[in-house]
Amino acid sequence: QDIPVIDSLSVLRNPNKVLSALCERLGVSFSTNMLTWPPGRRDSDGVWAEHWYQSVEKSTHFSLPLSQSVTLSAEQQRLADQLQPYYQALKEHELII
């Protein structure tokens, strides 16, 4: 299947452009309403929302993370290194905008 792949950082950098292209690719109508939302919890958030959605609940639009720097433990780095080929394989299929 020719499934579109998008990088979340690309969406955060240019949500209008990336989501417009994704919608076009999927044959779905794009709406600028996809770019903003009211703050707060939603029924669709599920039971996990209270544990890790705090910043989403405060947000009203897409934005870049405050910090893009991450420090990994040796074990986490080893795992990240092992997974890198899979990330690169997906990246080759990324929807180019």
Side-chain angles (χ1 to χ4, degrees):
Q1 294 180 351
D2 187 19
I3 300 170
V5 175
I6 58 172
D7 186 316
S8 61
L9 192 53
S10 296
V11 175
L12 296 177
R13 285 184 178 142
N14 197 337
N16 189 3
K17 193 172 186 180
V18 174
L19 293 178
S20 293
L22 179 61
C23 287
E24 182 178 333
R25 175 80 176 275
L26 295 173
V28 175
S29 296
F30 173 76
S31 170
T32 57
N33 291 335
M34 296 174 179
L35 304 175
T36 61
W37 50 85
R41 191 169 287 183
R42 292 148 196 79
D43 291 339
S44 60
D45 289 345
V47 297
W48 53 88
E50 66 182 88
H51 303 287
W52 58 284
Y53 270 23
Q54 293 84 13
S55 62
V56 172
E57 291 172 2
K58 293 176 187 173
S59 72
T60 59
H61 60 279
F62 291 98
S63 62
L64 290 170
L66 296 177
S67 171
Q68 295 182 15
S69 175
V70 175
T71 302
L72 301 177
S73 68
E75 182 179 349
Q76 291 168 329
Q77 186 62 58
R78 182 182 57 75
L79 182 58
D81 292 343
Q82 288 176 348
L83 296 174
Q84 191 64 25
Y86 299 102
Y87 174 80
Q88 291 303 323
L90 283 171
K91 190 78 170 161
E92 289 178 18
H93 299 281
E94 182 179 5
L95 183 62
I96 303 299
I97 310 304

